[in-house]
Amino acid sequence: MPLNLIKTYPQLLEIAHMNEYQRNQSLQGVFNRDFVDNANLKFKDKQIRPTKQDGEPPMQTLFRHLTTREDKDGKGKKLGSRSFEMARSVRLHWIKHHINELKKDNVEVFSYEDRIDRKDVIRTYIYDIDQEYVIILEPQRSGTDYYLLTAYHLNEPGGKKQIEKKRKKKLDEVY
C-alpha cells in the first residue's frame, strides 16, 4: 500500500486490514526503500549490512527477522520456525529513523556481551525508551561495519526487564 511509504516515526504502518499478499507487498516496499535501495545506510559512520545465512539471500533473511519472530513451544523452547508478528512489522520504518539517529531524547545506545550458542558475542543495542523498541546490531570483526540482526517492540513478558538488565551491565564503550 503506497500510504505506508509516507508514514514516519512514531506512526505505525497500516497493515492489519490487508490480506497476507497485500501485507507482504506493502512491507516489502518499505523494506526496499529503507534497506535494499539504500546503499548508504550507516550508524555511527559504520555501514549497515544484512546478516548472511546459508541457503538464503542476505536481504531475505533480514526481511524475515524484521517482520517475524521465532516460534516457541509452551515451555519457551525454540521450534526452529518463524511466524509473522504484527508488532514488529508495523514498526518496520522506525529502524531507519533510529539508525539515522533522528531521535535524540530517551534513546540509549549501548553494547553488551551476549552469550549466543555458547560463545560471547558483543552486540550493540539502540533502545528507544519511550516507545519500548529495540534494534540489535552486531559489529563485524573488521570493526568497520554492523550487521543488522533484528528489531522489535518490547511487548513480550519479561522483555523490558531483560533489556533493562543488559543496560545495567553494559560495556564501557559502544562497539
Side-chain angles (χ1 to χ4, degrees):
M1 178 176 201
L3 178 62
N4 282 330
L5 291 173
I6 62 171
K7 295 283 187 177
T8 58
Y9 174 88
Q11 296 172 317
L12 300 177
L13 299 179
E14 295 179 25
I15 58 174
H17 66 284
M18 297 179 183
N19 64 38
E20 184 178 357
Y21 175 79
Q22 293 168 327
R23 181 183 70 214
N24 286 337
Q25 290 296 108
S26 184
L27 290 171
Q28 191 69 55
V30 172
F31 179 79
N32 289 346
R33 179 199 66 202
D34 291 354
F35 301 102
V36 176
D37 301 332
N38 186 1
N40 199 32
L41 185 62
K42 294 183 177 184
F43 179 68
K44 305 244 183 245
D45 295 323
K46 294 181 181 182
Q47 187 71 37
I48 300 293
R49 304 202 182 276
T51 57
K52 294 178 182 170
Q53 194 168 30
D54 292 336
E56 187 174 50
M59 282 296 183
Q60 194 56 41
T61 300
L62 180 58
F63 180 73
R64 195 167 41 85
H65 278 259
L66 299 177
T67 58
T68 64
R69 64 181 228 181
E70 287 185 306
D71 295 324
K72 298 178 181 176
D73 65 14
K75 296 180 181 178
K77 183 180 177 193
K78 295 177 185 178
L79 298 174
S81 58
R82 297 184 72 88
S83 297
F84 172 76
E85 183 181 19
M86 184 67 75
R88 286 180 191 228
S89 297
V90 297
R91 294 167 175 82
L92 181 62
H93 61 300
W94 288 14
I95 299 167
K96 181 180 172 191
H97 181 85
H98 286 87
I99 286 175
N100 288 337
E101 299 181 274
L102 299 176
K103 183 175 187 220
K104 307 278 186 212
D105 298 333
N106 289 326
V107 173
E108 185 167 354
V109 176
F110 65 93
S111 292
Y112 177 82
E113 194 168 21
D114 277 308
R115 189 80 176 155
I116 309 293
D117 296 328
R118 295 183 292 227
K119 295 179 189 171
D120 292 328
V121 178
I122 293 175
R123 292 193 167 162
T124 297
Y125 292 78
I126 303 169
Y127 176 35
D128 182 335
I129 298 164
D130 296 330
Q131 297 292 336
E132 297 182 347
Y133 187 69
V134 175
I135 300 167
I136 304 175
L137 306 171
E138 186 173 303
Q140 288 186 347
R141 284 185 215 134
S142 66
T144 59
D145 297 340
Y146 282 113
Y147 289 118
L148 173 55
L149 300 181
T150 195
Y152 54 90
H153 185 243
L154 293 171
N155 59 347
E156 293 291 316
K160 189 171 180 182
K161 184 178 178 182
Q162 183 182 46
I163 200 74
E164 291 294 340
K165 184 178 172 184
K166 289 179 181 189
R167 272 177 75 195
K168 288 178 184 171
K169 294 181 178 183
K170 66 185 178 183
L171 299 174
D172 292 335
E173 64 181 283
V174 174
Y175 288 89

